[in-house]
Amino acid sequence: MSRQEAEGILKLSSKMESLLKSPQKCARVLKDRITANVFFEASTRTSLSFQTASARLGAKPIVFSNKTSSSAKGESFSDTIRMVDGYADAIVLRHPCEGAAQLASEIARHPVINAGDGANQHPTQALIDLYTIRKLKGKIAGVNVALFGDLLHARAMHSLLFGLLLFKAKVTLVSPKGLSMPPALVREAEMKFKVKIRCATKPDLKNADVLYVCRVQKERYSDKKKAEAAARLFRVDSRLLKSAKKGLAILHPLPKVVEISPEVDLDPRAKYFEQAKNGVPVRMAVLSWCALGKKKAAWRGVSLRFACKNPSCITRAESIAGSAAMGADGVLRCRYCEKPA
Ligand code: NCD
């Protein structure tokens, strides 16, 4: 997404937030359209806020769950997408495989919105985060943001890193040993935005304007004991926050489990529930943006057929021949999960 496109969605989100005050006007925007929520992974906020956004705009959301659908009988992902594409005007997709949304967007005639693909990306969460930061701080450029937690697996952090750099925020990646952001992603971001990204193992709260925390993504670990050990490596509590600025904003994509102490909820600097509420206007903007018929960006780059080595890539789950392409940083990567070949 270009800066101009992201800016357009953020502006539209503010308009949607105002429009929410006139429910009848709001309900004319996508009147009689159908949106499909296709979720192969657990979700509370993303699923509910997309359904709310759709209903507020006058569209009717239909909901798929892999537990009660024919996926439980072994239907392939590609077939499921073909079916839903025949029913709905837009597809909101969450899937445990990386690159699932990219593949679905190539199968479907209707727009596909990535609501999280494995440990890869979660772009609409990043838009909510940018919208929230701008609302709280009045700007994004120059704001000091510390991304803190399981940066290795958290897709929300992966998308947010690119979003923040697109808007010229000052980012520090803070993660305990073993949980740092994938180096290929950091390199790509540094080359794309021509910056050197700061990394630390503890947050420097004296200088941070935003502390963005995420949980250990237990479901991405094959060894549950390792996940539990990782969850003990960091925690935000009132003691840690003592050195922080008065104007600090504490954000979290939620769900939070053990990484934020319960007393932090009472700290006026905790803004995560406000952030979650912003999910509705931002997702209303995303849905109506799709309805404007914005064309998908054409695939650019050298396309080569190859077999992706990433075990979590959708091309492995669906046994389809992958295709690789050269990224902006000159690295050959899988067209679907975006991992270096
Ligand atoms: C995030 C996700 O699913 O990646 N949740 C969300 O969409 N708000 C973060 C998480 O699960 O930790």
Side-chain angles (χ1 to χ4, degrees), residues 45-46 94 122 125 155-156 215 217 253-255:
R45 274 146 297 273
T46 308
R94 171 169 287 188
H122 194 355
Q125 181 63 51
R155 55 193 174 199
R215 72 184 169 96
Q217 310 280 301
L254 303 178

Side-chain angles (χ1 to χ4, degrees), residues 84-105:
V84 179
D85 190 38
Y87 300 152
D89 300 305
I91 301 171
V92 180
L93 175 72
R94 171 169 287 188
H95 198 278
C97 288
E98 298 167 18
Q102 176 64 33
L103 176 62
S105 77

